[in-house]
Amino acid sequence: MEARFVRFDDVAPFELAAGVTGRPLFGEGAMLNVIDFEPGAVVALHSHPHEQLGIVLRGMQALVVDGVSHELGPMEGYVLPGDVEHSAYCGPEGALVLDVFHPVREDHRERWENAAGS
């Protein structure tokens, strides 16, 4: 794989949930996803086999794990092992979050490619 350089403002977004969009960057073994939450947006309870690390860049994102809400502000992060059920919501100002997934989420790649092609 060759080196690539990306301006995320130029990456086409794709919808993750109502009011939640991602702008991904795919590597061979991992991926980044810059996630923009509109005010009050919610991501339903789900799980995936991928390890997920993240950092809140702006606003407040809460991750709910085992029924416990963990409210995170700017420069606060998390590590979710694969297969951990979680949901998320954000505050009234919305949020900007950077997620890292290992390995690459092929479901996100497919959704992003389909959104970019439409």
Side-chain angles (χ1 to χ4, degrees):
M1 179 176 256
E2 293 184 21
R4 290 183 292 146
F5 304 91
V6 173
R7 179 173 171 80
F8 277 93
D9 287 344
D10 295 336
V11 175
F14 73 106
E15 185 175 82
L16 292 161
V20 182
T21 57
R23 294 176 188 266
L25 178 61
F26 299 99
E28 287 188 33
M31 68 173 283
L32 299 176
N33 203 6
V34 177
I35 301 174
D36 192 6
F37 287 80
E38 292 180 7
V42 174
V43 175
L45 184 67
H46 67 285
S47 67
H48 41 76
H50 313 80
E51 181 180 35
Q52 179 178 350
L53 293 80
I55 183 171
V56 177
L57 301 174
R58 175 181 41 79
M60 186 283 293
Q61 177 199 33
L63 286 173
V64 182
V65 178
D66 294 329
V68 178
S69 180
H70 304 271
E71 291 190 359
L72 303 166
M75 300 309 291
E76 294 182 318
Y78 51 89
V79 176
L80 296 175
D83 298 317
V84 169
E85 283 194 329
H86 57 285
S87 61
Y89 63 88
C90 69
E93 71 281 1
L96 186 66
V97 176
L98 175 62
D99 274 342
V100 177
F101 293 96
H102 177 264
V104 171
R105 287 198 57 172
E106 295 299 335
D107 60 326
H108 280 196
R109 185 193 314 261
E110 182 177 322
R111 288 169 68 185
W112 178 68
E113 288 173 348
N114 288 339
S118 58

